[in-house]
Amino acid sequence: MKIESYSFPNKVKSVICSDLDETFLPFADEHKPYSGIAGLEQYLSDNIESKSMIFGWITGSNLSSVLRKTKGYITRYPHFVASSLGTEFHWIINNEIKESDSWRNRIVASGYEHSNVDLIVAELEKQDIYLEKEDDDYQGIYKSTYYYHINGDTAADFLLMEKLAAEYHVKVLFNKCTLRAGDPENCYDIEFMPHGCGKGEVVDFLIKELDVSPENVYCFGDSFNDFSMFARTKNAFLVGNADPEAKRQHPQVLEKEYCYGIRSKLEELLN
């Protein structure tokens, strides 16, 4: 099945940002044919020009993983992919995936050194704090991801991680794991990355780069690690199949699951 890219409108007025796993695309292969992807693709194809909008993924998965996971399930590439939890940014124009020069310059300016993450992990092990490296799909050029198993010392351990990250000029994020996305129970994702990166920072970048109003940004997700991009706009929604704990903390939850929910909400807000 040949995959084409969406056309770009002459002037972008609205930006639609979606998480990938368990928001746009089900984690389980047997659920993927029933997620409503075809309907959302058709809606976007029919309305991109008339509504001057673009659509993209902001995801914790790295780019190669994104392309592998979506192969066979999509007929359209999005306008952009912010992969590895918003540490890498690529535009997709005329079926070509192109790294954003301005985003790469942001990484260089941050002073991030990947080797410093190894030093942090080694320092933690000296304090008997052990992190479990996650699957390669969630490791990036500028991001390292680990599982941390919750215990009685979690609060103190997180404070130490924050202290070490500050010393080594690295940003650290703590996100509760999502079982439906294949994570283990009673764990946190620990993400080490450059300063100036993350899902929320990608939304900030898009607003500035495209000169759009935050009121015209629409964000969709399924878990706690989407909350930073949710904070950038009032149009922020959890899909119907979202993590139950995340639903208890975010008021705007869609009735429908996956792309069915995204399409319905866009039809409601943009028509």
Side-chain angles (χ1 to χ4, degrees), residues 46 57 68 70 79 90 96 109 128 141 162 187 193 206 217 226 237 243 253 258 260 263 266:
D46 292 343
W57 299 320
R68 187 190 73 246
T70 56
H79 293 98
H90 293 81
E96 291 188 30
D128 295 325
I141 299 171
E162 288 176 335
C187 283
M193 64 181 67
L206 288 163
V217 176
D226 299 307
F237 307 95
D243 177 76
V253 180
Y258 302 109
Y260 289 114
R263 177 180 177 176
L266 291 176

Side-chain angles (χ1 to χ4, degrees), residues 121-169:
V121 173
E123 289 287 341
L124 291 171
E125 289 182 355
K126 291 178 183 177
Q127 302 295 324
D128 295 325
I129 301 171
Y130 298 96
L131 301 180
E132 177 186 345
K133 198 160 190 179
E134 294 192 26
D135 188 274
D136 287 345
D137 282 355
Y138 301 99
Q139 309 300 332
I141 299 171
Y142 310 114
K143 179 178 80 81
S144 299
T145 303
Y146 298 83
Y147 287 128
Y148 169 88
H149 294 267
I150 297 170
N151 59 73
D153 298 321
T154 294
D157 292 349
F158 282 6
L159 286 174
L160 179 57
M161 290 182 210
E162 288 176 335
K163 178 177 179 291
L164 290 171
E167 290 176 3
Y168 285 100
H169 309 291

